[in-house]
């Protein structure tokens, strides 16, 4: 469920056909980090119509991972709504 995502969760997308998949890392506030073939590593919004359409599932990996303390402040400053 996208409403229960936490920083570090993996988000998966079916981008075309049965075998084409894309994965990103959820950051927070509807943002995720992923690699674009044309733009390199970028941050996108899960509520973007393209990603909403292709969203497949999410997974929480390794609950022992620690979230960097500075992450929230940096992202809030850069991607404030």
């Amino acid at each position: 469920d996208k409403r229960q995502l936490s920083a570090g969760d993996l988000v998966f997308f079916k981008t075309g056909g049965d075998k084409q998949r894309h994965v990103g890392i959820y950051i927070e506030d509807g943002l995720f980090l992923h690699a674009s073939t044309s733009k390199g590593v970028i941050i996108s919004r899960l509520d973007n119509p393209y990603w909403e359409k292709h969203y497949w599932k999410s997974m929480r990996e390794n609950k022992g991972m620690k979230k960097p303390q500075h992450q929230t402040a940096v992202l809030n400053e850069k991607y404030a709504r």
Side-chain angles (χ1 to χ4, degrees):
D1 186 353
K2 286 190 274 186
R3 295 174 299 200
Q4 295 182 357
L5 289 170
S6 293
D9 288 352
L10 300 177
V11 287
F12 294 87
F13 304 88
K14 289 184 178 182
T15 55
D18 288 335
K19 305 234 182 220
Q20 271 191 299
R21 304 287 189 265
H22 189 75
V23 64
I25 303 170
Y26 186 75
I27 301 170
E28 65 181 6
D29 297 328
L31 299 172
F32 70 102
L33 180 74
H34 62 112
S36 161
T37 54
S38 60
K39 299 177 186 175
V41 176
I42 60 172
I43 294 174
S44 296
R45 298 192 58 82
L46 280 173
D47 62 3
N48 172 293
Y50 178 83
W51 296 116
E52 272 191 338
K53 177 181 177 182
H54 295 287
Y55 178 82
W56 178 29
K57 65 180 181 177
S58 59
M59 294 176 64
R60 185 155 298 150
E61 292 291 322
N62 193 355
K63 292 182 182 181
M65 290 176 58
K66 293 185 179 178
K67 177 180 171 183
Q69 296 300 311
H70 69 283
Q71 173 181 332
T72 301
V74 171
L75 292 173
N76 285 344
E77 183 178 315
K78 188 170 184 179
Y79 294 98
R81 295 181 213 189

